[in-house]
Amino acid sequence: MSPHPASPASDEVFAVGVDIGATAIKAALVNLDGNLVASFQQPSPRTSGELRDFVHLVLQQAPSQVRGIGIGCKGIIDTATSRVNSLPGDLNFLEGSLLADVVGPGSLPLCADNDARTALVAEVLWGAARGKQNAVLLTLGTGVGGAALVNGAILRGASGAAGHLGHMTLDVHGGLCICGNRGCVETRFSSRAIESDYLAHLHRAAPTTLSLGPAGQPPTTADIFRAAAEGDPSARCVIDRALAYLSASLVSVLHIFDPEILIIGGSIAEAGPQLLAPIRDEVTRRTRILLGREIPIVFQSLVGLGGVAGAAGLVFQQQGLVTF
């Protein structure tokens, strides 16, 4: 764990926000202004006990003014009970569990929701979507998450699955996705998709400047974006193809939700202009006729930590301390 503590004022109000990701778990002590007063991070838990120990270690360093714990987690979360109804992949050990039970009994109230929704909550309360009534956020990382604000309310759907935009079908004959569908956005634009596509180029002995790591691991998505900018032919091919699929998916999202703003987050957002510049014109060109205007496409305000702040925001919302 890598803490970054600070000394909060005695009259401040806080919540602890936790974001359980596929590669890392992050937490922070968050105040009513959305500021992260202290932050913590370690590799993702692989057992319920590791998750509980992490949260308890954070709470040991939290002041007495903490009003509750908010958790953002991948998958389908029952916000009324904190039950993880569906969570395929590396964090599957949490499926069927109540996060309130996993963290353990205590006097602090606990709120939980899908991690993309908590990231959007942060943007609505303190970031790029503040003052908006309609907004969409996509998180681009190991997988692709999504969340939508529709007429001032976070969209959850009948079973809590609404907003899983990474599982829209792009290719009816595409590969099998972790969700059981085929040809999802996630199978075409995600860290896993980009890295596996470049790995295929390596296996074909196509022109490349990158190579396998010492343990045979493929180059990272950040490496591939960098290589593409430097002229690596295979990296250019991989990134261009991935961006074409991303553009197509964003066009669908904008036509479905007609948002005031589209927010991009997740680890791939660290590519910066190399990610957004190629898709802005394409998306605008393909949506202008129906929508009649250009939708701003912007980066998440707190890249990497928005889910943490938004998880704390769930606590503040539930207690009436903040509103959209």
Side-chain angles (χ1 to χ4, degrees):
M1 177 180 291
S2 54
H4 302 284
S7 299
S10 59
D11 58 347
E12 282 192 278
V13 173
F14 302 97
V16 170
V18 180
D19 184 22
I20 309 171
T23 57
I25 182 171
K26 304 171 185 178
L29 184 65
V30 183
N31 68 15
L32 281 173
D33 294 322
N35 297 318
L36 279 59
V37 178
S39 60
F40 311 82
Q41 179 174 329
Q42 68 180 31
S44 290
R46 291 297 176 251
T47 67
S48 296
E50 289 180 6
L51 171 58
R52 180 175 58 253
D53 291 346
F54 174 80
V55 175
H56 284 191
L57 192 54
V58 172
L59 289 174
Q60 287 172 11
Q61 302 181 54
S64 59
Q65 306 100 301
V66 170
R67 301 291 293 266
I69 303 167
I71 298 180
C73 184
K74 297 185 179 301
I76 299 175
I77 314 297
D78 183 343
T79 58
T81 65
S82 80
R83 185 179 190 273
V84 182
N85 287 330
S86 177
L87 183 52
D90 295 338
L91 300 173
N92 181 253
F93 67 89
L94 289 173
E95 190 170 278
S97 301
L98 294 174
L99 290 173
D101 289 346
V102 171
V103 170
S107 57
L108 291 175
L110 184 140
C111 303
D113 205 342
N114 174 268
D115 58 344
R117 291 199 195 110
T118 60
L120 181 55
V121 166
E123 295 299 318
V124 176
L125 289 175
W126 304 297
R130 188 170 186 177
K132 310 294 185 189
Q133 290 293 297
N134 293 276
V136 174
L137 179 141
L138 265 76
T139 55
L140 309 175
T142 307
V144 176
L149 178 78
V150 178
N151 296 332
I154 298 289
L155 192 65
R156 291 189 169 85
S159 61
H164 276 73
L165 303 176
H167 299 291
M168 296 187 302
T169 301
L170 281 179
D171 181 358
V172 294
H173 302 296
L176 188 65
C177 182
I178 191 173
C179 72
N181 187 22
R182 290 185 178 275
C184 291
V185 175
E186 193 168 297
T187 69
R188 295 300 188 179
F189 192 99
S190 65
S191 292
R192 286 192 180 111
I194 290 169
E195 290 161 14
S196 62
D197 195 1
Y198 194 86
L199 181 60
H201 282 70
L202 287 172
H203 279 307
R204 290 195 298 268
T208 61
T209 60
L210 303 175
S211 58
L212 296 177
Q217 69 270 29
T220 67
T221 298
D223 291 336
I224 297 166
F225 265 96
R226 193 176 305 113
E230 294 169 355
D232 179 319
S234 291
R236 289 282 298 273
C237 178
V238 168
I239 296 302
D240 287 349
R241 178 160 50 202
L243 289 173
Y245 280 115
L246 178 62
S247 296
S249 65
L250 295 183
V251 169
S252 296
V253 167
L254 294 186
H255 280 155
I256 292 167
F257 291 103
D258 186 19
E260 298 165 76
I261 192 169
L262 174 64
I263 304 167
I264 302 294
S267 59
I268 300 181
E270 294 174 7
Q274 194 181 356
L275 172 65
L276 281 197
I279 64 175
R280 274 189 171 128
D281 289 344
E282 178 71 6
V283 171
T284 297
R285 181 181 64 81
R286 295 169 63 177
T287 58
R288 184 180 285 118
I289 291 177
L290 188 61
L291 298 179
R293 70 192 196 285
E294 181 175 346
I295 308 296
I297 304 176
V298 303
F299 283 124
Q300 187 178 358
S301 301
L302 286 173
V303 174
L305 292 169
V308 172
L314 295 177
V315 176
F316 296 146
Q317 270 192 304
Q318 185 186 68
Q319 298 182 14
L321 299 173
V322 295
T323 58
F324 284 174

